[in-house]
Structures are given as C-alpha cells and as structure tokens.
Amino acid sequence: MEFVTLSKEEFREFSKNHPMANFMQTTELGDLKSNNGIKVDYVGVKENNNILMATLLEEEPSILGKKVFYAPRGFLVDYHDKKLLSFFVTNLKEFVKKRKGFKIIIDPNLVYQVRDADGSVIDEAKKDDESFKNLCDLGFEHFGFNLYLEARQVRFAYRMMLDAPYDIKKLEFSKSTRKNLESTYKNGLSVRKGGQEDLPIMEELFKDTATRKDFFYRKLDYYREMYKYMGELMTIYFAYLDPEKYLECAKENLKEEEKKNNEILSKMEKDMIGSKLKSQKESSDKRLIKLQNEVKEAENFKREYPNGKDIACLLSMWNGDEFLTLTSGSLEKYRKFTPKYAMYDAHIKDAYKRGYKACNFYGISGNFKKENNPLYGVYEFKRGFGGNVIEYIGEFTLPVTSFNKFYNFMRRIKRTIKRK
C-alpha cells in the first residue's frame, strides 16, 4: 500500500462512486473552498495503482502559524477495515505535521445506529461499535454523543427509504401530512425549479425565515459562489403562488362549500332539525365566511402580484445514493398555504425519478420530547413523511502534535475570561 496525493480528476472519479459518497467530499466543494482562500488537499491510499480510500482535507489557519486539518463528513473508507484505516492515519499524521498541522477533525458520513420514527433504537445489536472502537484505538477522541447542533455537522437526521413505490410510501405519511399536502394543492400552489437567476429570491426567503427564528443565514454572494461551483449537485425548489390559479381554486372551494351548505339546508327543511344537522350548518356557515374572505384575498393578490409570487424555497443536494434537503425558507405571511409540504413532496418525487435509494431530510435534534425542545417542530414536520431517525457516529479529533494540548489550554483560558 502507498499513501498518495491524488489529482482532482482521480479524486472526482473515486469519490462520486464510493458507498459513502456525499456532497462534502467532492471536488465541487473543494473548488468552492479553494476560491474562498481555504487550501484543499486530496489524499488517499493506492495499491497496484488502484485507489483503496481517499479524502478531501481542508487546511484551516490557527494560532501561531499552526493549522487544523478537517475532513468534512470524514474519509471515504470502510471504517471496519482497521488495517487500511491504520495505514492511512499513520501516514496522514506525517503529512499533516509537515504542513504545520496539530490536529485532524473528522465527522464521518457513517450511521452509528438507526432509530424508529419516535427515536427509539431499532436493534441495539446493529450499533456500529466496531467503527467507533477502530477510530478510538487509532488515537481519535470522540466529541461525545451530543443531542443538538454543538458540533460542526448534524449528528441526527431523518431519513425516508425509497424501498416501495411512491403511492405505497405515501400511505405511511401521517394523516396531518396528507391533509396539508391536499390543502396545499387545493389552494392553487405549485412547485417550480429555480436556477442561477433565482438566487436573489432564494436568499430573501432564507433571510426572512432566519431573521424570524433568530438563525444564522448566508448572504447572496455565498449562494452565488456555491452555485458557480456546486450547481450540478444542487436542486432549488420554489413554492409558487399563481394569481389565476389561486383565484380559480378559491372560487371553486367556495362553490363546493355553498353546495354543501344548500344540501344541509335542504335536509333541515325536510327532516326534523336535530343537534347533528345544526352543528353541520354552523360549521358550514363558518367555512363559507372564511372562503368568501379567501376569494377577496385571492383577488387582492392578483392585483398586487399579477405575475405571481414565490413564497417558499427548498435547497436540495446530491448526497451519494441519498437526495438531501439542505435548507429551506418561507414567508410568514403565506404560512396558511403550508408550502414546505409541497416542496418536500416534489423533492421526494424527484428522488424516485432519479433513482435515489433514500431521501435524507437532514438535521434534527436527538431530543425527541416536545417539552423544552425548541427544535421539536422540525422533527415533528419531518416525521410526518414516514421513515426513521438515523444517528451519525459523530465528530472525532486526532491530536497530531503536542501543540494541541497548548491550544486546548489557551481555549480554556479564553472561555474563562469570557465568562467573567
């Protein structure tokens, strides 16, 4: 075996077909990072001129001219192959030392264990303790089995396997999810795909949501750079409200309710008026008022936005054999249209068309209880599409030189000063 530096072309061909392939271990991401001033290396192991494993490494400047090396979503390797992993890590440490590196951070795209929709472990025996032990034996220090977003990458995600036709999988959606989907389409919302020219709209929608929820968000320049280098891996979905369609649907919904109301009234005239009929009439009357107001809102919308309006956006990414929902945003004013359901549905249908094995709805917390959990709503929404929870193995740090101890000591002092 031989530790080697790989060309971009070699890494590209190897990485896109690897079982652990993901968008963070691509030359596209490497080009994006390089353009932003981060040095990127491609290294691996060869035997008889065949690549056995590889990784993209980012060099991050630290204090006193030293560097931290980071492999986003870990190495592209079978973590159960301790012999190969050991050979690579031993040589990688020397590679890093020569470049003034003092530690290596990885957060493998490796599922530690699978949980059911409620967060309970499905099969304790299938927990990947072997990979965990192999990394620890090689000197890696585990960040911990964190529940929230404390590490660089998410540790819990929600995944829907595409192991049955869409119509069958849809039966596994929760009742409320199916109802919201039906309501979304019934109110005239449609989903379109965007391109480079739509990035300003995407940024505004993400900004609106992030500002409302006090989240961090990225500026337009970042998304332009991202699209420039990673556009082939990205799919942008917009929930689009068409004025003609919206008004037509609003009128049709009102017409249907008027018909129901008249039928109830006819029964009340012919039969004895019982509590059940009274209740039905009262509910129908309320819906009529609501739908009449909806028609007025649709007419106002048509006047204000004659060309329609994008009210929500979802950014999805290629992620090996998974189609991953990376981030989304929407306008609070149009919340009643539940646009996120329509975009996720479009994402799922595209995943089937493109032959993906799963839809990864990405980050959730590892706390599956509603009480005192600000992230519960994200989990609850994603759980509505069926599927289960996957728990990644987490973040590891490999100290390379003694400077790592000094670095950690200085960080503790800095945190202590801040607390004071």
Side-chain angles (χ1 to χ4, degrees):
M1 290 191 289
E2 179 186 11
F3 179 87
V4 294
T5 298
L6 300 169
S7 68
K8 277 177 59 176
E9 290 71 26
E10 284 180 308
F11 183 79
R12 182 186 294 114
E13 288 304 308
F14 179 80
S15 63
K16 70 181 182 181
N17 296 310
H18 195 273
M20 297 187 72
N22 63 89
F23 75 91
M24 294 187 190
Q25 283 287 322
T26 59
T27 55
E28 287 86 351
L29 182 85
D31 288 342
L32 174 62
K33 295 290 184 177
S34 296
N35 189 67
N36 283 279
I38 298 174
K39 189 175 186 322
V40 172
D41 304 292
Y42 301 106
V43 294
V45 175
K46 281 185 178 181
E47 187 172 61
N48 299 325
N49 210 33
N50 293 318
I51 302 174
L52 302 182
M53 67 158 296
T55 192
L56 174 155
L57 273 179
E58 299 176 13
E59 295 187 20
E60 302 175 351
S62 187
I63 59 174
L64 301 177
K66 302 295 184 180
K67 299 175 184 175
V68 174
F69 281 70
Y70 175 48
R73 277 305 180 207
F75 313 138
L76 298 177
V77 66
D78 179 359
Y79 287 86
H80 302 99
D81 189 340
K82 193 172 183 179
K83 181 181 177 182
L84 175 59
L85 191 60
S86 178
F87 176 84
F88 176 71
V89 169
T90 300
N91 284 276
L92 181 61
K93 288 168 73 174
E94 294 304 313
F95 176 87
V96 166
K97 281 180 187 178
K98 290 176 182 178
R99 284 157 178 77
K100 298 183 179 180
F102 64 94
K103 69 176 175 180
I104 303 164
I105 298 174
I106 64 172
D107 35 36
N109 185 36
L110 180 64
V111 176
Y112 179 61
Q113 61 185 353
V114 179
R115 297 169 177 265
D116 63 20
D118 296 322
S120 300
V121 176
I122 292 176
D123 188 345
E124 191 78 22
K126 289 185 178 180
K127 187 185 295 183
D128 196 352
D129 288 322
E130 183 182 353
S131 293
F132 187 89
K133 184 176 185 302
N134 286 346
L135 287 168
C136 292
D137 287 349
L138 292 172
F140 282 90
E141 300 169 354
H142 193 229
F143 179 85
F145 292 107
N146 58 297
L147 298 182
Y148 297 98
L149 308 176
E150 305 92 336
R152 293 190 178 211
Q153 305 296 339
V154 300
R155 210 175 73 77
F156 290 86
Y158 207 91
R159 183 174 67 183
M160 171 186 172
M161 300 304 296
L162 307 183
D163 50 3
Y166 172 82
D167 289 341
I168 293 176
K169 296 298 287 188
K170 191 174 180 181
L171 297 175
E172 298 177 12
F173 293 2
S174 69
K175 185 178 179 181
S176 62
T177 296
R178 292 197 300 271
K179 182 180 178 181
N180 279 320
L181 272 174
E182 183 181 348
S183 173
T184 291
Y185 297 126
K186 196 173 181 181
N187 286 328
L189 201 67
S190 59
V191 177
R192 72 176 184 88
K193 290 179 185 175
Q196 187 174 6
E197 69 281 1
D198 297 303
L199 295 179
I201 303 172
M202 182 176 83
E203 190 253 2
E204 280 299 314
L205 289 165
F206 289 170
K207 179 181 177 181
D208 187 89
T209 298
T211 303
R212 187 169 70 246
K213 297 184 177 181
D214 197 26
F215 288 168
F216 168 79
Y217 70 92
R218 298 190 182 275
K219 301 292 181 67
L220 179 58
D221 286 347
Y222 174 85
Y223 290 113
R224 281 177 172 154
E225 287 290 300
M226 186 180 182
Y227 194 88
K228 178 180 178 181
Y229 294 103
M230 304 186 73
E232 291 185 4
L233 308 181
M234 298 165 55
T235 304
I236 305 171
Y237 297 97
F238 286 100
Y240 170 74
L241 191 55
D242 180 278
E244 296 290 347
K245 200 172 180 182
Y246 176 22
L247 182 57
E248 181 185 340
C249 288
K251 288 180 176 179
E252 184 60 34
N253 293 337
L254 175 61
K255 187 178 178 181
E256 286 181 12
E257 192 58 44
E258 285 174 338
K259 182 180 178 182
K260 289 179 183 178
N261 193 279
N262 287 331
E263 288 174 353
I264 296 170
L265 192 60
S266 179
K267 284 184 180 179
M268 293 177 74
E269 290 172 349
K270 293 178 181 178
D271 305 328
M272 288 183 62
I273 303 174
S275 58
K276 187 176 179 181
L277 275 178
K278 281 184 178 180
S279 177
Q280 289 176 352
K281 184 67 167 60
E282 287 173 2
S283 296
S284 181
D285 288 343
K286 288 178 182 178
R287 284 197 296 271
L288 276 177
I289 295 171
K290 183 180 177 181
L291 291 170
Q292 286 164 356
N293 289 331
E294 191 68 38
V295 170
K296 292 177 183 177
E297 287 184 24
E299 289 171 342
N300 290 334
F301 180 85
K302 184 179 178 180
R303 282 192 292 271
E304 188 174 358
Y305 302 106
N307 296 319
K309 187 174 181 63
D310 294 306
I311 64 171
C313 179
L314 171 68
L315 174 58
S316 298
M317 299 292 294
W318 168 90
N319 199 58
D321 58 9
E322 300 177 330
F323 198 23
L324 183 143
T325 59
L326 186 62
T327 186
S328 65
S330 61
L331 298 175
E332 179 69 11
K333 182 179 179 181
Y334 300 96
R335 184 179 179 182
K336 67 181 180 182
F337 291 95
T338 59
K340 201 169 180 180
Y341 287 92
M343 295 187 299
Y344 266 64
D345 196 42
H347 168 99
I348 293 167
K349 289 174 179 175
D350 271 356
Y352 273 103
K353 290 177 185 176
R354 299 178 189 182
Y356 285 99
K357 293 181 180 179
C359 284
N360 187 333
F361 300 142
Y362 214 39
I364 57 172
S365 78
N367 177 3
F368 307 104
K369 296 179 180 178
K370 190 173 184 178
E371 296 76 21
N372 301 316
N373 183 0
L375 298 177
Y376 184 81
V378 176
Y379 159 64
E380 187 176 38
F381 166 78
K382 295 176 181 180
R383 182 172 62 167
F385 289 92
N388 52 32
V389 175
I390 55 174
E391 179 182 348
Y392 293 109
I393 200 165
E395 184 177 300
F396 292 82
T397 297
L398 177 66
V400 173
T401 70
S402 58
F403 184 81
N404 187 59
K405 290 183 179 179
F406 173 73
Y407 174 81
N408 290 337
F409 173 70
M410 293 301 293
R411 286 190 69 187
R412 284 195 295 271
I413 291 176
K414 190 176 180 180
R415 284 197 294 266
T416 301
I417 292 172
K418 276 187 176 181
R419 283 197 293 267
K420 290 180 179 179

